[in-house]
Amino acid sequence: MYAALWRILPGPTWARVTMLVAGAVIVVTLLMMFVFPAIDDFISSTDPAVN
Amino acid sequence: MYRKRLLAATNIFGELLITAGVLVLLFLAWQLWVNNALVASSQLNRVAQNSQHWSTGAATDPTTDDFGKPPVLAHVGKGETIGNLYVPRLGAASTRAVAESVDPHMSLNRGYFGHYSSSQWPGQAGNFALAVHRSGWGTGFAQAQLLRTGDRIYLETATGYYGYTVRNIEYVKPTSVDVLNAVPGTTRSAVAGQSILTITTCSPQDGNVERLVTYAVLDSWRPRSAGPFSDLAPLMKKA
């Protein structure tokens, strides 16, 4: 999977590494800004209230 | 050929598992640090804004401490701001706003102390009961176990400052809803002149099996025109 991704990317090693790092930064940012807040309510079970 | 395909499939499966593991770790990092820090800083801004919005510019007037009986605070709708809660023992950075309702979306997960709508209001005979997260979600109450009998807790509102003194702390089961009663832990009706603040939070800190409950008694009050309590003023400057 990741080996295939490496093969598909064009250019010399430094260019591929740069693209992968940039891609990782984008993915992590999107996760933290949109995905995690959206799924948090379904995952987290700590409830400080008594009920 | 068959062996090669199986190997490729196993490879991909392994990589998917590693990816899933990384995603879980990222989620935890988001929950414990990223989101926690973002919500905490937006809460501190909100606290400062509230203070400024309600400000009358009055400095602490030390000539008297007696302003009569604390008035009953005006009720607000779900999700609306009730006041700012200061806990000197936990430092100025622990200050958070208080909002109506304990709905996670409306208050708790946005860093607020949430007011149990079924409980009473500050100044009213009975119990002003709040809930707050103990870890994550920008909580300022993580070190709640440090609170001691006699510690002060202040509620700043649009009309004035309510001063509470911690009476005791207690660990209860998550189902102990009787801590929210007018006289906590009993089924008695409210005692005239006795206004209690009850704060429920998680225990252990990152767990969910118990609740740490802090009880404080309303024993002082200053209108906004008289300025804040003398030991509250420095906290408000720092918050």
Side-chain angles (χ1 to χ4, degrees):
Chain A
M1 189 167 79
Y2 292 115
L5 181 62
W6 181 261
R7 279 196 303 275
I8 290 166
L9 287 176
T13 303
W14 65 265
R16 297 184 196 198
V17 169
T18 313
M19 278 185 270
L20 285 175
V21 168
V25 168
I26 291 170
V27 168
V28 169
T29 309
L30 288 178
L31 282 174
M32 295 216 170
M33 284 182 72
F34 303 106
V35 181
F36 291 159
I39 61 170
D40 184 34
D41 295 332
F42 303 100
I43 292 177
S44 301
S45 61
T46 56
D47 176 7
V50 288
N51 46 39
Chain B
M1 188 61 196
Y2 175 74
R3 277 189 66 108
K4 219 174 167 186
R5 271 218 193 130
L6 187 68
L7 203 65
T10 322
N11 251 327
I12 290 178
F13 183 63
E15 282 179 339
L16 284 175
L17 286 182
I18 292 171
T19 310
V22 170
L23 283 178
V24 169
L25 288 178
L26 276 174
F27 178 76
L28 285 176
W30 171 80
Q31 190 176 57
L32 290 176
W33 299 306
V34 180
N35 188 50
N36 191 35
L38 290 177
V39 176
S41 95
S42 85
Q43 268 290 330
L44 287 178
N45 282 335
R46 187 166 287 131
V47 163
Q49 271 172 18
N50 288 344
S51 239
Q52 213 165 16
H53 180 64
W54 298 324
S55 172
T56 54
T60 300
D61 169 12
T63 49
T64 175
D65 271 330
D66 186 13
F67 296 95
K69 262 176 49 172
V72 178
L73 189 64
H75 300 198
V76 299
K78 283 196 189 302
E80 288 175 41
T81 301
I82 295 173
N84 292 335
L85 197 79
Y86 298 82
V87 187
R89 168 76 72 185
L90 304 180
S94 77
T95 309
R96 296 291 179 270
V98 184
E100 174 61 10
S101 157
V102 290
D103 183 304
H105 306 277
M106 286 189 197
S107 59
L108 304 180
N109 288 6
R110 293 164 61 204
Y112 288 96
F113 287 88
H115 173 231
Y116 291 88
S117 302
S118 59
S119 70
Q120 288 78 48
W121 290 76
Q124 189 178 1
N127 190 2
F128 176 58
L130 307 176
V132 69
H133 278 301
R134 183 98 179 273
S135 81
W137 293 285
T139 183
F141 219 54
Q143 300 300 315
Q145 78 283 357
L146 297 179
L147 280 168
R148 292 289 176 267
T149 300
D151 281 356
R152 299 288 283 161
I153 297 178
Y154 297 109
L155 177 73
E156 177 192 16
T157 70
T159 50
Y161 309 88
Y162 293 83
Y164 292 86
T165 301
V166 173
R167 185 189 70 187
N168 63 313
I169 65 171
E170 185 181 24
Y171 291 84
V172 301
K173 293 236 156 63
T175 50
S176 303
V177 288
D178 62 352
V179 304
L180 309 178
N181 291 351
V183 179
T186 76
T187 51
R188 274 177 296 187
S189 49
V191 178
Q194 190 186 58
S195 189
I196 292 168
L197 165 70
T198 296
I199 307 174
T200 70
T201 193
C202 280
S203 175
Q205 201 186 335
D206 291 298
N208 207 27
V209 294
E210 290 179 335
R211 297 289 178 271
L212 168 56
V213 188
T214 307
Y215 301 101
V217 179
L218 178 63
D219 54 15
S220 45
W221 143 264
R222 293 177 74 91
R224 281 214 86 98
S225 58
F229 292 93
S230 56
D231 52 341
L232 172 59
L235 277 186
M236 291 173 62
K237 280 204 192 80
K238 272 190 264 170

